[in-house]
Amino acid sequence: MSRDKASTMDAELQKVFGPPVPELYEAAAAGPDASPDLARALELRSFLALTEEQVARVRDRVHTDMDPDRDMGDLSADKLRADAQWLEAALDARDSYRAALGELLRTMPPPGQLARPVRMAQLRTTATLSPSAAPAPQRPGAARAHRP
């Protein structure tokens, strides 16, 4: 599972949130009081850890295939091309997750500072009409006079 695997951003997460990553997962599972920022950060971290594991698997497979002691007859250009495509896709995903997690951590409020809702000032307009500007009360059945 990706929460058990280390990621390259674990130290950054610990810097921002404090406790080590396993304790952060426990805090996020605490229920409705868990921080939404922590939940987002851990979700991105899980995706990153999984993607970094994929990068390592492809890298290790290529290293095994390219081992100097290996029979040259086993070498396949098609297989290496496919591995290169997999590696490129996994590296692109890893870079995207690292960037997204880094951006989230940079834009978060400092630890201990709670995000407060922004208060919007509501302007109120009040006006009073002078007695001469007020419309005259209507008599029942009377037609309304048009003003210029």
Side-chain angles (χ1 to χ4, degrees):
M1 183 183 232
S2 58
R3 59 171 65 180
D4 299 330
K5 304 272 183 195
S7 87
T8 56
M9 296 288 288
D10 287 355
E12 296 298 317
L13 280 162
Q14 188 171 355
K15 235 187 265 182
V16 170
F17 290 103
V21 170
E23 291 177 30
L24 292 175
Y25 276 104
E26 288 175 21
D33 295 336
S35 160
D37 288 332
L38 175 59
R40 278 187 220 102
L42 289 176
E43 185 176 19
L44 282 170
R45 186 235 168 250
S46 293
F47 293 148
L48 173 62
L50 180 64
T51 303
E52 288 176 342
E53 183 181 358
Q54 291 172 331
V55 169
R57 282 182 182 178
V58 175
R59 178 204 59 206
D60 293 347
R61 186 170 55 238
V62 169
H63 282 242
T64 299
D65 289 347
M66 300 302 290
D67 188 328
D69 295 334
R70 192 151 180 176
D71 182 8
M72 291 281 248
D74 293 339
L75 199 56
S76 164
D78 288 338
K79 186 177 174 195
L80 287 173
R81 265 192 293 280
D83 283 338
Q85 289 174 337
W86 274 95
L87 185 60
E88 184 176 4
L91 289 170
D92 286 346
R94 181 205 60 188
D95 293 345
S96 295
Y97 288 130
R98 282 183 56 85
L101 183 54
E103 183 65 21
L104 176 66
L105 295 176
R106 273 190 299 282
T107 58
M108 286 181 50
Q113 179 183 347
L114 297 176
R116 288 179 289 199
V118 177
R119 288 188 177 215
M120 302 296 285
Q122 289 189 354
L123 302 176
R124 295 183 186 178
T125 306
T126 57
T128 56
L129 296 174
S130 66
S132 62
Q138 294 284 321
R139 294 186 322 264
R144 226 182 161 152
H146 292 285
R147 292 192 168 187

